[in-house]
Amino acid sequence: MILLLDSHTFYWAVRAPGRIPALAVRLIEDPANELLVSAVTPWELGIKFRKGKFAEAGPFLAAFARHLSTLGARELPISGEHALIAAQIEWEHRDPFDRMLAAQAIVENAVLVTADAAFASLGGLRVMWADPSGS
């Protein structure tokens, strides 16, 4: 199975795995699954850090490559195909980072591992977890 980790999922998988449901942790830790982390993740976390919304992101991003390696994950670059799909998705959600993650998951035939319930409303996207409470 191919798993694309949402930005918060990547952070929690490294720093606070207890925040992720046990099933998702098992799948993330299963070496039979391919783990992807989008290039949008350091961009999103970096913007939150620069805006003062996520102070822990600075030190975390300084070790981004090491965190990928620790999880056995591969960075997923943003391609033109991803960008075109993100721009064309019929979805009310306007967050550009979320739109890119959704497009990448669709194009790469990956399951998006996220707590963000907004993704559940997008048809054609396979999502795991999507906590309606947002936690």
Side-chain angles (χ1 to χ4, degrees):
M1 178 183 311
I2 302 170
L3 303 174
L4 176 59
L5 306 183
D6 194 350
S7 300
H8 61 270
T9 306
F10 175 58
Y11 179 82
W12 291 340
V14 173
R15 294 282 170 95
R19 294 192 69 176
I20 302 172
L23 173 59
V25 171
R26 282 195 302 277
L27 290 173
I28 289 168
E29 292 176 348
D30 185 341
N33 292 326
E34 181 179 3
L35 294 183
L36 302 175
V37 175
S38 174
V40 83
T41 291
W43 180 19
E44 178 179 24
L45 296 178
I47 287 173
K48 288 181 179 185
F49 174 73
R50 293 283 174 218
K51 288 183 172 183
K53 294 182 177 184
F54 189 22
E56 299 85 4
F60 182 78
L61 290 173
F64 180 73
R66 183 168 43 91
H67 297 318
L68 286 174
S69 179
T70 297
L71 289 181
R74 176 174 63 86
E75 182 179 349
L76 178 61
I78 297 170
S79 71
E81 182 180 11
H82 296 145
L84 288 169
I85 296 297
Q88 296 172 5
I89 290 175
E90 293 290 334
W91 189 28
E92 294 297 317
H93 196 59
R94 294 180 183 241
D95 182 307
F97 301 116
D98 288 352
R99 292 182 72 81
M100 181 54 68
L101 286 167
Q104 287 183 303
I106 291 167
V107 170
E108 303 301 324
N109 194 30
V111 175
L112 182 63
V113 184
T114 182
D116 190 342
F119 288 103
S121 67
L122 181 58
L125 176 65
R126 295 183 304 148
V127 177
M128 163 184 266
W129 179 11
D131 183 353
S133 70
S135 62

